[in-house]
Amino acid sequence: QVQLQESGPGLVKPSQTLSLICTVSGGSITTKYYYWTWIRQPPGKGLEWMGAIRYSGGTFYSPSFKSRTSISRDTSKNQFTLQLSSVTPEDTAVYYCAGSRGMVQTSTRDEYDYWGQGTQVTVSS
């Protein structure tokens, strides 16, 4: 059974870079045709698709976040990471990682095969 677990700092100061890790267990992030995605939900708002990394390492970003976002992976640890630079209080959200067989560029939870429990990140000085 594949499980995803997000980890990272719960509090980040404005202008800093937010870094989150998603650790995948029960399956490999290099399994063919799988995509590993970051999604967030600001308070009182809907889910936002941020970007994804495919099994072969290629990356895809939402235009809304592309200039500030980097997604990478560590295959030796079976982890993929999100870096979001120049954060502001508007980046306060619950951040989720998810996995799907095939590319999914929506934030509809049912379209993903795997979904982490989410981690709260607050941007505040």
Side-chain angles (χ1 to χ4, degrees), residues 62-117:
S62 165
S64 300
F65 298 101
K66 187 173 183 178
S67 63
R68 299 195 292 134
T69 304
S70 177
I71 297 175
S72 60
R73 64 180 187 170
D74 185 335
T75 57
S76 67
K77 296 181 180 178
N78 214 35
Q79 296 173 334
F80 63 104
T81 64
L82 170 72
Q83 290 192 312
L84 182 65
S85 63
S86 305
V87 297
T88 71
E90 285 66 43
D91 292 310
T92 294
V94 178
Y95 286 77
Y96 299 93
C97 57
S100 60
R101 189 177 190 278
M103 182 64 166
V104 175
Q105 286 188 287
T106 74
S107 53
T108 304
R109 188 163 180 161
D110 288 347
E111 296 196 25
Y112 292 88
D113 298 301
Y114 313 112
W115 192 275
Q117 67 181 26

